[in-house]
Amino acid sequence: MGTVRLATVAAPFDRDLRACYARIERLVQQARDSGADLLALPEAALGGYVADLGGAAPMPPAFHVDGPEIARLAAIAGDLVLTCGYCEQADDGQRYNSAVCVTGDGVLGAYRKVHQPLREGATYRAGNQFEAFDTPVGRIGMQICYDKAFPEAARALALDGAQVIVSMSAWPISATNPHPDPALDRWTRKFDLFDRARAVDNQVVWVASNQYGTFGSLRFAANAKIVDPAGEIVAATGQTESMVTADFDLEAVLTAARAGMGHLRDRRPDSYTPHTDNRIAV
């Protein structure tokens, strides 16, 4: 479809749903005014993240993927492709840390976070699959926060044809010995390294959003960014509440990146047989 403009944000979201929708409306309008075709919002943009990973704090509000809250999100998106994190209420009563991709036509894709850090499992049940899906801007895969630490997660999406992987986060700075400058914090560095590595691993365009500010005991690392298939950061918010954009001809940029050393093409799956005995303590 030629060149598309991708946008991502570092922005704050909390339990005030009215304020969340108002902020989303402003960000969607800002993205539309900038000519963006896709906007990535952070993990838990509808209703906020958990204030306590041990499950002691009140849980975030939960919504059905086919409920009125997600329908309202789709109506706000209109002709824009919008990805957004939220707490999903499943039909079986379980809650998931989830994300949806919507346009005014409805839900294009849905995802439940697979990898759970620390004690996040006290609040959410884990998902169990990674699948890419087609959108007006190209084929997309979604993942959430800690998923980016696992090469297999991004690889599964790339092998399913994802041209763009959207990674939505509520990624904090270190809770122990945080650096006085969040940009130099060790958890911020991990966040950035994972974003760049997963892009170049799979030679895809990587769009990372993140929460901004504080919530409960957490201070977020911000630094939403867009990374090209060579692992180079094309645009980043730094430690500011802001939006950045970047333009790509996805077919052309992926073809060029994979023309020489094609990381997906040159895989040797038969050599990756796991050991029958687990040598890593879990």
Side-chain angles (χ1 to χ4, degrees):
M1 64 169 290
T3 300
V4 295
R5 179 164 293 175
L6 310 177
T8 188
V9 299
F13 294 91
D14 56 25
R15 292 287 186 268
D16 186 338
L17 278 180
R18 180 178 296 182
C20 287
Y21 279 117
R23 179 168 284 111
I24 290 169
E25 287 176 345
R26 291 194 299 270
L27 290 169
V28 166
Q29 189 58 55
Q30 181 183 347
R32 188 174 286 120
D33 290 345
S34 76
D37 301 289
L38 175 146
L39 171 62
L41 297 175
E43 175 183 10
L46 268 187
Y49 188 54
V50 293
D52 176 78
L53 287 173
M59 291 187 177
F63 314 112
H64 290 277
V65 69
D66 57 355
E69 296 84 5
I70 303 302
R72 181 177 177 183
L73 193 68
I76 293 170
D79 59 354
L80 192 74
V81 176
L82 180 68
T83 64
C84 179
Y86 74 109
C87 179
E88 179 190 352
Q89 181 72 62
D91 291 339
D92 62 1
Q94 299 289 343
R95 289 177 173 229
Y96 293 88
N97 189 344
S98 294
V100 288
C101 178
V102 298
T103 67
D105 292 330
V107 175
L108 303 181
Y111 170 68
R112 293 170 173 173
K113 184 177 181 180
V114 171
H115 300 99
Q116 296 181 309
L118 304 173
R119 293 175 292 166
E120 195 180 78
T123 303
Y124 305 107
R125 186 177 181 133
N128 59 15
Q129 61 184 351
F130 294 94
E131 293 181 336
F133 52 92
D134 294 321
T135 78
V137 301
R139 191 160 175 83
I140 289 176
M142 297 189 295
Q143 56 176 234
I144 298 175
C145 206
Y146 189 43
D147 287 327
K148 73 177 68 192
F150 297 86
E152 301 90 344
R155 179 55 51 86
L157 291 170
L159 289 174
D160 197 25
Q163 299 167 297
V164 177
I165 295 179
V166 179
S167 177
M168 293 158 271
S169 293
W171 191 285
I173 65 171
S174 175
T176 57
N177 300 316
H179 196 284
D181 181 354
L184 301 177
D185 187 81
R186 59 194 176 94
W187 276 44
T188 302
R189 294 201 306 272
K190 286 183 182 180
F191 182 76
D192 296 341
L193 284 168
F194 287 142
D195 286 337
R196 298 185 69 178
R198 298 296 86 84
V200 73
D201 281 349
N202 299 287
Q203 297 169 309
V204 296
V205 174
W206 187 270
V207 179
S209 58
N210 199 14
Q211 291 262 2
Y212 170 85
T214 62
F215 187 71
S217 62
L218 300 176
R219 182 179 181 186
F220 298 113
N223 208 25
K225 67 181 71 65
I226 300 171
V227 187
D228 72 15
E232 298 298 327
I233 297 174
V234 178
T237 64
Q239 274 59 50
T240 66
E241 178 186 351
S242 58
M243 177 185 298
V244 292
T245 66
D247 296 342
F248 294 94
D249 181 327
L250 293 176
E251 292 287 350
V253 74
L254 267 64
T255 297
R258 298 170 179 178
M261 292 186 292
H263 300 165
L264 302 181
R265 180 197 64 222
D266 297 339
R267 294 167 60 249
R268 296 284 306 281
D270 292 345
S271 299
Y272 310 147
T273 305
H275 292 291
T276 55
D277 57 326
N278 191 347
R279 290 177 167 81
I280 300 176
V282 295

